[in-house]
Every structure is written in structure tokens, then in C-alpha cells.
Amino acid sequence: IKKIQPNLMRNIMLRMKDYIKDYERLEIFVKTYIGRVEKKYSEAVSNYCFALIAFEKYDYDTVLKLLVTEKQIIRFPNEYFKLDAYRLVLKTLVETEQKEKIEVIINRFRVYLNDDYKNKALFDKHKRFIIYLNRLLTAIEKTDETALHDLKRSINNMKDTIDTKWLLQKVTEEMV
């Protein structure tokens, strides 16, 4: 049995979830191949994969159960999983309108992004994601249509962040 590196499993899931909307097949894939991931990472990678699927199925409670313990993001094999998990939790909290929890996770995410500069460009994209997310939340709170239009223009023009598709979808949903 050939081992699968955690990053390979992550990359496969990220590609497959966008191209295969059959989430049952994705779940079968995870169950079939998770045993090939190194044992010390298999639970975290499994949680990550099933959280991705749960988010796509709008099963937000499951996302939070899989990724958050005691108000803390679970440990992952590397920064890529950790960054994805933070974003996935934030998107879930936005979708479920848990404003108080959003602020807590944003603050923790900021600390994490400021503490580690292994991949500055990647971390900068995530910092901008937080900036755009804060702008979105402020515009929603104030029902500020102009701010939403400005945010949409910024995201489209800059192309300097991550999860732009989701951000633009949320902005568009909030626009009247």
C-alpha cells in the first residue's frame, strides 16, 4: 500500500470538490484512502476532508464539530491545512451569522498570521481575506450599499486574496 502525503490528500480534495458535486463519492474517496495517510496525521486530515464536504453540503454544524475544539482550531500537519481550516471556520460562522465567534476567530487568525512568516505571500493573501471579510461584515451591519459596491470592485480589481469566489458571492447576496 502506497502512502499518501497529507498535502496530496488536501490537494485532491480541493480539486475534486470543485469538479465533482457528488459528495457521496467524495466521502467514499476519503474513507477509502485516509488509511494511506501517515497515522499521526490521518485524524486531522480526515476531519479536514469531511469538513470541506460538509461545508459544500451546507452542513455547518458538522464543519464546526470537525474543525473546532474548545474554541480552538484543531492541530493540522502544516500551515496549508491550518490556513484552510481558519478560512473554512470563518466562512461557516459568517454563513450561520455567529458574529461574536467570528471576531474571536478573526483575532486568533491574525495572531497566527503575524506569528509565522514561512510563506509571506500566502500569509499576505490570507491577511487580505480578513480585511475584505471585515469590510463585508461592516457593510452588512451598516446596510451600506456603497461599501458593498466598493468592496466588490476592490476584490475584482486586486485579485490579491484567497477565496475570492466566496467573498464575491457573499457581497452579491447582500447587495439589493
Side-chain angles (χ1 to χ4, degrees):
I1 296 177
K2 189 171 180 163
K3 290 290 179 192
I4 297 177
Q5 294 296 316
N7 280 348
L8 178 59
M9 190 75 161
R10 173 187 167 270
N11 291 341
I12 290 169
M13 285 300 297
L14 289 173
R15 299 300 171 263
M16 287 176 60
K17 79 172 180 61
D18 290 336
Y19 296 107
I20 300 174
K21 297 297 182 186
D22 182 349
Y23 302 117
E24 189 174 312
R25 281 181 56 198
L26 287 175
E27 289 171 353
I28 291 168
F29 170 81
V30 175
K31 289 174 185 172
T32 302
Y33 291 100
I34 197 64
R36 294 186 181 188
V37 174
E38 192 176 343
K39 191 159 183 69
K40 68 180 178 180
Y41 300 128
S42 63
E43 184 179 357
V45 172
S46 176
N47 285 357
Y48 171 82
C49 292
F50 284 114
L52 279 176
I53 295 167
F55 186 84
E56 294 298 320
K57 292 167 60 175
Y58 309 101
D59 183 0
Y60 301 124
D61 288 340
T62 299
V63 173
L64 296 175
K65 285 177 188 166
L66 290 169
L67 297 181
V68 182
T69 58
E70 304 289 322
K71 298 182 183 177
Q72 184 175 316
I73 304 295
I74 66 169
R75 294 188 185 274
F76 284 101
N78 59 43
E79 64 194 27
Y80 298 103
F81 282 92
K82 188 84 165 184
L83 293 168
D84 286 359
Y86 266 114
R87 279 195 340 274
L88 198 52
V89 168
L90 280 171
K91 293 183 334 186
T92 299
L93 295 174
V94 169
E95 295 291 352
T96 57
E97 300 178 3
Q98 298 183 47
K99 293 178 178 100
E100 314 78 39
K101 292 180 181 178
I102 293 169
E103 289 180 34
V104 170
I105 298 298
I106 283 176
N107 289 334
R108 288 187 183 151
F109 198 13
R110 270 198 191 109
V111 169
Y112 176 70
L113 292 170
N114 288 328
D115 282 351
D116 197 337
Y117 286 99
K118 291 178 189 168
N119 187 335
K120 186 170 177 3
L122 182 63
F123 278 50
D124 286 347
K125 285 184 174 195
H126 283 81
K127 287 177 185 176
R128 284 188 290 277
F129 173 82
I130 291 173
I131 291 168
Y132 291 143
L133 183 58
N134 275 326
R135 285 177 60 188
L136 172 64
L137 296 172
T138 301
I140 291 169
E141 188 177 312
K142 295 180 178 178
T143 59
D144 187 342
E145 192 76 17
T146 304
L148 288 169
H149 283 283
D150 290 344
L151 176 57
K152 186 175 184 178
R153 197 172 17 267
S154 293
I155 295 169
N156 278 323
N157 290 342
M158 298 301 288
K159 306 270 190 243
D160 63 347
T161 191
I162 199 134
D163 265 336
T164 55
K165 183 178 174 184
W166 179 83
L167 283 166
L168 289 170
Q169 175 190 336
K170 295 310 298 176
V171 170
T172 303
E173 286 173 11
E174 294 299 328
M175 294 169 88
V176 178

